[in-house]
Amino acid sequence: MKIMMRSRLLTVMLPLLLLLTENGMVAQALACTTAVISGSATPDGRPILWKNRDYGSRLHNEMAEITGGKFKAIAVVNAGSRSSVWMGVNEAGFCIENSLSKDLKIEGKTSGPGNGTLMRMALQTCATVADFENLLKETNNSGRATIANFGVIDAQGGAALFETGPKQYKMFDANDPKVAPRGYIVRSNFSTTAQELDANPSPAELSDVSSSDRYLRACGILELTASDGISVEEVLRQCARDLSDEQGNPLPGSVNGKPGTLPTRITTKNTISRTTTVSAAVFHGVRPGEDPRLTTMWTMLGDPKFTIAVPSFVVAGVADDLTDERGGEIGEIAITLREWSLTPDKEAIYSDLLPGIWSDLWALEDRLLTTTLRAKQRWSQGKAPVQEIKKLHNEAAQAAMKAMSKELQEAKTIALAKPAPKPPVFNDSSFATSSN
């Protein structure tokens, strides 16, 4: 089944990939957006961790099982690679993600684990936020090549962000009202320590700081939802899929915008969901005393605008549709849908496919959310039922794959129905040969 699906995907994608190769894939800067949300700010008292991963030259992501350490884990990795991870959770309920922050770089050569390697180490060895801080203390002395904001939550209610350079770090506790008065901490690609700012800088203080537009947009979304508690559903849909204009106003017809029609062409330079977004995850933790194995990683392979979130658990392993050394198949379909929608300069998307994709995928995602959250609440009364969890994860992945395959076929049908471009017209003189 998998080989046949891969063959069909390659048949559809090959002409497009050749076109991308001919035109040259422009390397894009990393542009991740993240948030750490304390259980005090959520309706059910469980912490949430979120990351949109942007890396234009690393399109192909997959989920992988990480073994060989104290704890088993699942994580999003670059396809075919296990040496570094970019967001993940282990069986102790410890979750981690990061956003690049180049302003934490120091002069001189650095050595030791980089951002992705450190996160792999953390998943293999850490059970709590305190354990991660101890890892940072140890590597302060031995050395790191890290320049990142690391967000972490654990099964004891811990929720914190660490702005981390090669030889130092600063912790921001999302449970401390002095640090996080609304119960959450947001970061994009800057650090407040390097910029000499408070933990929650104002728009005026960020006027000249790169990536501050995404930081402010995420803060604005969470601020609107905080009064009733910030839910997993809201972070998945409203943060990960946000589309806004240069002033931070949600586009009409988008998930956060007023009813209306999407612009034909959407520039994503200032939005959270961008043309360079390659995957995303929202981690839904547990309350203290609950089985940490119920910690849920809602995984989105591919651009969140073109994909669906699948509930994942360490004890369930990784469903076949999410893992492959060339890229998880659900993500590969999302890549195809997004690439078909890209403008020639790769800085914007044409929106004609989005309404249909959202209508289909989000209806299924809503059902997956309802089913999973109800099951999680039921399971939280005792020890996690491993076989039930595996069944839920695998059935969710299968449903997601079926829905994504349907979207691919519909998009292909739409593309084939469009009029073929007119053939080029050549001047006869262009074929004349000259003699010497």
Side-chain angles (χ1 to χ4, degrees), residues 160-394:
L161 182 132
F162 294 82
E163 296 184 349
T164 309
K167 295 179 181 296
Q168 77 291 319
Y169 70 88
K170 183 174 182 179
M171 175 183 176
F172 298 82
D173 188 349
N175 289 309
D176 184 347
K178 293 182 180 179
V179 174
R182 302 288 280 173
Y184 58 81
I185 300 169
V186 174
R187 287 293 181 270
S188 50
N189 301 107
F190 69 90
S191 68
T192 58
T193 48
Q195 302 294 332
E196 299 183 346
L197 299 169
D198 292 334
N200 302 285
S202 67
E205 294 174 306
L206 295 171
S207 58
D208 297 322
V209 176
S210 177
S211 81
S212 61
D213 47 1
R214 284 180 285 109
Y215 165 84
L216 293 171
R217 183 70 198 117
C219 287
I221 295 169
L222 294 177
E223 182 68 20
L224 288 173
T225 61
S227 58
D228 296 324
I230 301 167
S231 69
V232 172
E233 301 96 314
E234 289 164 337
V235 179
L236 274 173
R237 194 68 52 80
Q238 297 183 33
C239 290
R241 274 80 173 240
D242 178 68
L243 292 172
S244 301
D245 62 21
E246 293 182 1
Q247 287 71 46
N249 301 312
L251 296 175
S254 69
V255 64
N256 293 320
K258 296 179 180 179
T261 302
L262 286 169
T264 301
R265 185 181 189 275
I266 300 174
T267 301
T268 67
K269 180 180 179 182
N270 303 100
T271 65
I272 293 177
S273 181
R274 298 156 61 88
T275 58
T276 54
T277 306
V278 296
S279 56
V282 177
F283 300 87
H284 188 205
V286 296
R287 291 185 290 257
E290 292 180 344
D291 192 328
R293 295 180 299 176
L294 294 178
T295 303
T296 315
M297 180 178 178
W298 288 90
T299 309
M300 290 174 274
L301 292 183
D303 186 331
K305 297 185 290 297
F306 295 92
T307 195
I308 189 170
V310 178
S312 308
F313 306 83
V314 178
V315 295
V318 179
D320 188 59
D321 298 312
L322 295 168
T323 185
D324 190 285
E325 64 181 11
R326 291 171 292 181
E329 290 183 85
I330 289 175
E332 294 305 289
I333 295 176
I335 289 172
T336 303
L337 294 173
R338 195 264 297 276
E339 299 299 335
W340 267 336
S341 300
L342 279 177
T343 58
D345 61 8
K346 311 292 191 296
E347 293 183 356
I349 58 169
Y350 297 117
S351 67
D352 53 326
L353 293 180
L354 288 178
I357 290 173
W358 294 347
S359 177
D360 296 338
L361 295 186
W362 293 358
L364 173 59
E365 188 173 276
D366 286 342
R367 293 196 295 273
L368 296 180
L369 279 160
T370 299
T371 299
T372 303
L373 295 176
R374 286 177 178 172
K376 183 168 180 172
Q377 186 59 32
R378 185 176 71 254
W379 295 335
S380 68
Q381 307 305 311
K383 189 175 181 180
V386 175
Q387 292 307 315
E388 287 186 44
I389 295 173
K390 287 183 177 180
K391 184 173 183 289
L392 186 149
H393 169 66
N394 286 315

